Amino acid sequence: MKESMPGFAVRYAWRGLAASMVAVAWGTLGYGLFLSPHDQQAWDGLEAGGRFAANLSVYLPYLALTLPVAVVVVLGLLPAPRLLSPLLATTVGIALFVWWVTVQDYLFDAQPQLSACLVGCVAADAGAVGALTAAWVRAGRQPNTASPRDARQVA
């Protein structure tokens, strides 16, 4: 049983890194949308329908998805043995949301630094996928993928 402890620790470290990278990706996207410097003239140039569409199609979904992303990140940081799939689904969801924000090209005039934040978000998301892949490969190499808590219960 002692041989599975280091394997679990390494897999947990990769999963923790992946969860952290997911949080960084989502935070970078949020910074680009809400806190990055904006061009007030470009926002004023949008008609009321354009601002309403931006709020409804980008900003509101970001706020609505923040809680589920936070829950997945917290669960990814817990030492449970099989929580890789929710993290992977979240990274795919973040990539799709970045694509959706990119399609809304009028935002780039109003938020000039948004494109740099999107690149940072994609880089962090790709790092999370790499860490998840390493955790998955590590889990596949271990013949016994039980957690240390399960090992104590058996002993």
Side-chain angles (χ1 to χ4, degrees):
M1 276 299 181
K2 290 185 179 182
E3 292 175 357
S4 68
M5 295 292 184
F8 176 76
V10 170
R11 190 173 70 247
Y12 174 66
W14 281 114
R15 194 181 69 225
L17 178 64
S20 300
M21 295 299 285
V22 166
V24 166
W26 195 249
T28 303
L29 180 59
Y31 174 81
L33 289 173
F34 291 101
L35 300 175
S36 67
H38 61 278
D39 183 7
Q40 190 60 41
Q41 289 179 345
W43 276 115
D44 292 341
L46 284 176
E47 59 202 39
R51 292 186 86 158
F52 183 71
N55 287 332
L56 216 58
S57 66
V58 176
Y59 292 96
L60 186 61
Y62 178 86
L63 292 174
L65 291 172
T66 297
L67 182 60
V69 169
V71 167
V72 168
V73 167
V74 168
L75 289 177
L77 292 173
L78 294 176
R82 294 176 188 92
L83 289 176
L84 297 177
S85 297
L87 280 170
L88 182 62
T90 304
T91 59
V92 170
I94 290 173
L96 289 173
F97 195 77
V98 166
W99 170 80
W100 177 250
V101 171
T102 304
V103 170
Q104 314 300 321
D105 58 350
Y106 59 88
L107 287 176
F108 295 112
D109 293 332
Q111 302 284 123
Q113 290 185 351
L114 181 59
S115 61
C117 291
L118 290 177
V119 170
C121 179
V122 168
D125 209 30
V129 169
L132 282 171
T133 302
W136 222 305
V137 166
R138 186 66 186 171
R141 288 184 180 174
Q142 292 298 94
N144 184 2
T145 58
S147 70
R149 185 181 60 223
D150 294 338
R152 285 192 301 265
Q153 290 174 355
V154 171

